[in-house]
Amino acid sequence: MSKVKNLADQAYRTRKGPGYPWWDRLDLNRDGEPKLVLHNVVVVLTEHELWRGLLRYDSLGNRIIKTRTPPYGGEAGELTDIDGGEIAAWFGDPANMGMAIKSQMAIEAAEIVANRDKVHPVCEYLESLRWDGTKRLPDLFMDYCGAVGTSYVRAVGPMFMISAVARVMEPGCKVDFMVVLEGDQGLGKSQFVRELFGAGWFAEAMESPAHKDFYQTLQGRWAIEISEMQSFSKADINKVKQAVTTQVDVYRPSYGRYTRSFPRQCIFVGTTNDDEYLRDPTGARRFLPIRCTDVNIELLRSMRDQLWAEALARYRGKEPWWNIPEEAAQEQDARYQRDSWEDVIVEWVERNAPDSHYPIEMVGAINSVTITDILQHALRMEIGKHSRPDQLRVGAILRRMGWKRKKCRVGGNVAWKYVRPSETG
């Protein structure tokens, strides 16, 4: 019998004693040696004293984590490709199990074991808190960001916090708005978000939502900051809106062989140094602006646990987080970057433009117009130069002004016109 075989036999014998009751659960061959099957690897990773409780599944990050230094060395943290080889090498060592398994089997077994022991770090944190009963969320943005205490600001604070709790308690629940923190550069807006959510559960999106790498940032995060809102084009802003309203992300997780659907667990927070950053003519109702003047990080650190404890209590009390305040429309409108054509169009429909800008047959108040009317007479563009983008631009401005698109009969034909709000009832 070889020296290696002797060492292996010795290793097996040391594991047959009372201290190793899991040995009886192994599938052994005729020689009393563990077979190279997945079941045996799972048993060892689950019950061996060196492995018990080491592998867990992080339900926030959708990943396997090592809760402590594994038997082969290294550090605690996310399981990587290297760990698959290390686990296989540990099993193959005659001083350990003497089982020549492959890395793929090691990874499969690790996935099975971790999936049986799931952990959600944010939920565990929230459930460890005890609220003292003092209501602080309505004053969140006043106390910690120096916002003016309007009814709008007081309503957004609880919405914001409860929605974040809901997202981890009910992954994929509907959160279709995004708070945008405004204020001077260097004020501490990003630090406020980082301290509130915790550095390990926070990330700044380095790519636009139009870029595929944007979604890599979401994994394992509770809050994602979308900074420099003023730098986004209208197309990018629409992508931000789409990202905010998405409830399920689809991707292939680490070590996964198939693409899977993962209910969204994070919320988004925008930051900007500007006060005109919304380019959506419909009013960008997804964005809830908060003007910050004085970010108090030290106070936030001292009260963070109580803020989240209150948010959890309000969530469990079934307090809604989806009722956007009526005042939000005014706040959003104040951040809208006006189209340079808008003033010209307003002047024209109110008959404040020169008389030469109106066709002879158009007399009296203007209560309905066509896109062509605006392009040809208000903007003085030749009919042959009316492009599709120009038409869409005018339509967006009219809708923003509150005018409604309706089918109207013009002579013997039916045409689309925009009708003044007072004329639509």
Side-chain angles (χ1 to χ4, degrees), residues 126-185:
L126 291 173
E127 290 168 353
S128 72
L129 304 175
R130 295 295 178 268
W131 183 34
D132 63 11
T134 301
K135 294 182 179 180
R136 299 178 178 88
L137 296 191
D139 297 332
L140 175 72
F141 295 116
M142 290 99 79
D143 290 347
Y144 307 101
C145 297
V148 176
T150 63
S151 59
Y152 163 77
V153 171
R154 289 179 61 81
V156 173
M159 285 177 58
F160 172 63
M161 296 291 286
I162 298 170
S163 70
V165 171
R167 263 288 162 87
V168 291
M169 293 294 182
E170 301 176 48
C173 68
K174 188 175 182 180
V175 179
D176 58 0
F177 62 85
M178 182 176 80
V179 169
V180 181
L181 303 179
E182 307 167 349
D184 297 337
Q185 187 172 1

Side-chain angles (χ1 to χ4, degrees), residues 214-244:
F214 171 85
Y215 292 91
Q216 296 297 321
T217 309
L218 310 187
Q219 298 179 37
R221 308 300 179 181
W222 191 12
I224 302 294
E225 178 192 358
I226 300 180
S227 59
E228 305 300 332
M229 289 284 294
Q230 71 275 13
S231 67
F232 288 110
S233 67
K234 179 181 175 181
D236 284 334
I237 286 290
N238 287 334
K239 285 291 185 180
V240 171
K241 290 171 58 179
Q242 180 180 348
V244 168

Side-chain angles (χ1 to χ4, degrees), residues 188-217:
K189 303 182 296 294
S190 297
Q191 190 177 3
F192 167 81
V193 183
R194 185 183 298 107
E195 291 290 343
L196 180 62
F197 286 88
W201 301 325
F202 161 87
E204 180 181 354
M206 305 306 294
E207 299 283 353
S208 161
H211 197 284
K212 64 179 182 179
D213 289 344
F214 171 85
Y215 292 91
Q216 296 297 321
T217 309

